[in-house]
């Protein structure tokens, strides 16, 4: 039997690139036999030819010029694993314009230029696969597109940043600061080249935007979303949250009201009830809870970052791409697929801040003197915010106290006004910390 020849090129050969190479090498014969293809690795682009790598590749394969990968006549699949958005976009579009298949793990790129990339797919006939862009080894893109395609999702809630979950879990278990644990996360290959993307919630936001596009057909922009990272979460908050019956996790939340069309997207540290599955997902593990109207609740849990988990997702895309090339028929990201996504979005609009509701957790540092609580409670009462639980405690030798409380449900708009007014009170010593409390649908 004549085997289809497939050339796989890499742009970027760091944590993920080397992982993909390593596992493809060890599975090569099996894949070739199973798929009836013959695999080669003609070119690999890197930034530094002298860098020591965990795997060895033939020296003549390496290049400093990613366009050599794109233009190489034997490369049909370009794995864009370099990260960043400017150059990565140029190489991606160049490969798509040649009708090649691009496999990517680059969620920042898809957030920023997803529309252009998909337009290029439609115009030039290339293909774009991006399973590894969301939740590392969890096959969430395939799940949305294939396994749960019959569903509309009123809610998708996920722990979708491995670095933050690793940091928060270890902070709670070991009492260390996030800066200390971040160094370990870097050594383990979990952290983005720019660690602010992880710590400030942007990486999880990019992933949530991809999920929202696939589920609801809308590209959500930064200005339409709530995005907060984990820097302000203290060990003290974790202990208070536990006293209230919760754990704190960085959560990505996509909600859709199918009656009004309202779609909301947020990424923030949230208090999750202790008895819920999401509260028990620790370390680098991610979890995504999908509430579908046909299948009901589905929860996927797996490693969300790191070399092996991410390589697993990239290789699943490479295998799909190889089958697509072999059969001259790609399943993913065909023009009709893209159009179908956009059609989904026609009935969606972004929710207003009055429409987005939840319970809230507040931490307030307040002057410890008779009567100072009166002003505080008056602000809550004025805005109709009802308190479900409250704990006040003193700090030995200091004239300040801390109040932590959990509210009943109210809107984002109201909570913003409450916080603005609290900040004006002279007895409130620092800006209040506000976290959302996750209210799960039935599991
Ligand atoms: P990384 O370890 O920093 O590797 C980046 C690679 O790109 C390096 O090999 C670097 O070359 C190369 N590179 C950068 N700029 C280049 C340029 N201008 N020309 C040629 N090569 C260039 O990053 P990574 O962790 O593998 O991440 C790669 C992508 O996967 C990113 O989009 C990231 O968001 C995504 N991702 C990562 C993970 C994870 O757990 N690490 C998980 C999911 C998705 P040198 O080696 O010579 O410096
Ligand atoms: N930095 C990302 C994370 C990598 O920690 O989740 C996986 O996308």
């Amino acid at each position: 039997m004549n085997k289809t020849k497939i050339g796989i090129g890499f742009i970027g050969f760091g944590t993920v690139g080397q992982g993909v190479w390593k596992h493809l090498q060890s599975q090569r014969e099996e894949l070739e036999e199973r798929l009836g293809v013959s695999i080669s690795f003609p070119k690999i682009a890197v930034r530094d030819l002298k860098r020591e790598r965990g795997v060895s590749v033939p020296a003549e394969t390496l290049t400093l010029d990613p366009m050599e990968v794109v233009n190489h006549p034997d490369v049909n699949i370009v794995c864009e694993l370099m990260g960043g958005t400017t150059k990565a976009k140029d190489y991606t579009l160049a490969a798509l314009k040649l009708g090649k298949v691009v496999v990517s793990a680059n969620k920042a790129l898809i957030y920023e230029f997803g529309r252009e990339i998909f337009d290029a797919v439609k115009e030039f006939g290339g293909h774009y696969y991006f399973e590894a862009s969301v939740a590392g080894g969890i096959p969430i893109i395939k799940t949305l597109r294939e396994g749960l395609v019959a569903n509309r999702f009123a809610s998708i809630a996920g722990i979708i940043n491995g670095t933050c979950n690793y940091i928060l879990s270890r902070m709670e278990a070991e009492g260390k600061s996030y800066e200390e644990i971040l160094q370990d996360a870097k050594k383990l290959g979990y952290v983005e080249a720019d660690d602010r993307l992880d710590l400030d919630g942007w990486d999880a936001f990019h992933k949530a935007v991809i999920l929202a596009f696939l589920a609801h057909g809308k590209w959500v922009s930064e200005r339409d979303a709530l995005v907060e990272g984990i820097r302000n979460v203290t060990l003290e908050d974790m202990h208070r949250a536990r006293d209230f019956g919760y754990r704190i996790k960085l959560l990505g939340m996509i909600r859709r009201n199918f009656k009004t069309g309202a779609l909301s997207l947020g990424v923030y540290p949230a208090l999750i009830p202790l008895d819920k599955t999401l509260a028990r997902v620790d370390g680098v593990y991610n979890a995504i809870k999908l509430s579908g109207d046909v299948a009901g609740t589905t929860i996927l849990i797996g490693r969300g970052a790191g070399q092996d988990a991410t390589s697993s997702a990239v290789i699943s895309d490479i295998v799909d791409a190889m089958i697509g090339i072999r059969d001259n028929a790609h399943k993913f990201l065909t023009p009709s697929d893209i159009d179908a996504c956009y059609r989904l979005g026609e009935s969606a609009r972004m929710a207003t801040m009055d429409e987005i509701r939840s319970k809230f957790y507040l931490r307030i540092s307040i002057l410890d003197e008779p009567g100072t609580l009166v002003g505080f409670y008056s602000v809550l009462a004025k805005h109709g915010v009802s308190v479900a639980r409250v704990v006040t405690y003193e700090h030995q030798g200091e004239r300040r106290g801390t109040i932590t409380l959990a509210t009943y449900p109210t809107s984002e708009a109201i909570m913003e006004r409450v916080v603005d007014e609290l900040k004006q009170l002279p007895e409130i010593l620092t800006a209040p910390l506000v976290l959302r409390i996750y209210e799960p649908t039935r599991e």
Side-chain angles (χ1 to χ4, degrees), residues 2-50:
N2 260 353
K3 288 189 166 186
T4 308
K5 287 186 177 158
I6 309 249
I8 302 170
F10 291 79
I11 303 180
F13 206 60
T15 303
V16 182
Q18 291 177 57
V20 173
W21 166 277
K22 184 177 74 182
H23 291 293
L24 274 179
Q25 290 299 336
S26 69
Q27 296 166 11
R28 184 174 176 168
E29 276 181 27
E30 193 190 320
L31 283 175
E32 287 183 327
E33 197 184 329
R34 206 159 120 188
L35 303 176
V37 299
S38 129
I39 304 171
S40 66
F41 302 95
K43 273 281 162 225
I44 298 172
V46 292
R47 203 172 21 191
D48 177 359
L49 291 173
K50 296 208 174 73

Side-chain angles (χ1 to χ4, degrees), residues 111 160-161 164 195-210 220-233 249-254 264-270 350 353 356 360 412 416 433-436:
Y111 166 66
I160 47 179
N161 184 270
C164 288
D195 61 23
R196 291 171 300 182
L197 289 170
D198 293 301
L199 297 171
D200 296 326
W202 295 110
D203 176 77
F205 166 68
H206 296 152
K207 293 166 176 165
V209 169
I210 294 171
V220 177
S221 77
E222 208 175 301
R223 64 172 186 281
D224 288 326
L226 300 160
V227 183
E228 290 168 19
I230 61 165
R231 289 183 206 259
N232 294 329
V233 177
K249 299 276 174 196
L250 185 76
L251 198 67
M253 205 54 227
I254 302 161
S264 68
L265 187 151
V267 168
Y268 36 70
M350 293 315 295
M353 289 295 127
I356 307 174
F360 288 86
E412 289 286 339
E416 199 180 314
L433 175 83
V434 180
L435 303 177
R436 290 151 190 94

Side-chain angles (χ1 to χ4, degrees), residues 285-431:
Y285 278 80
N286 281 191
I288 304 180
K289 181 179 167 206
L290 304 128
S291 306
D293 58 348
V294 181
T297 298
T298 304
I299 304 178
L300 293 101
I301 300 176
R303 286 178 186 273
Q307 186 172 69
D308 291 337
T310 312
S311 303
S312 164
V314 173
I315 292 171
S316 86
D317 275 349
I318 291 175
V319 168
D320 277 353
M322 291 198 284
I323 293 169
I325 292 167
R326 182 197 66 192
D327 300 346
N328 198 20
H330 287 264
K331 267 206 301 185
F332 193 18
L333 219 58
T334 57
S336 58
D337 211 11
I338 298 170
D339 288 340
C341 268
Y342 283 118
R343 265 197 306 280
L344 272 179
E346 283 167 10
S347 58
R349 64 169 174 85
M350 293 315 295
T352 64
M353 289 295 127
D354 289 305
E355 289 174 305
I356 307 174
R357 292 176 66 82
S358 69
K359 296 177 182 173
F360 288 86
Y361 162 95
L362 266 79
R363 169 171 38 88
I364 317 279
S365 179
I366 192 164
L367 193 66
D368 195 358
E369 279 186 0
T372 49
L373 287 180
V374 174
F376 168 67
Y377 279 117
S378 311
V379 172
L380 295 180
K382 178 180 157 192
H383 291 284
V385 175
S386 194
V387 175
R389 299 202 52 180
V390 62
V391 177
T392 59
Y393 51 101
E394 61 182 340
H395 296 274
Q396 282 294 325
E398 293 182 46
R399 278 181 60 221
R400 74 181 176 98
T402 299
I403 308 175
T404 48
L405 62 86
T407 72
Y408 283 104
T410 185
S411 71
E412 289 286 339
I414 288 178
M415 195 43 72
E416 199 180 314
R417 290 199 284 275
V418 165
V419 170
D420 282 347
E421 285 188 32
L422 289 178
K423 282 192 209 155
Q424 307 304 318
L425 297 181
E427 60 270 33
I428 303 291
L429 301 174
T430 51

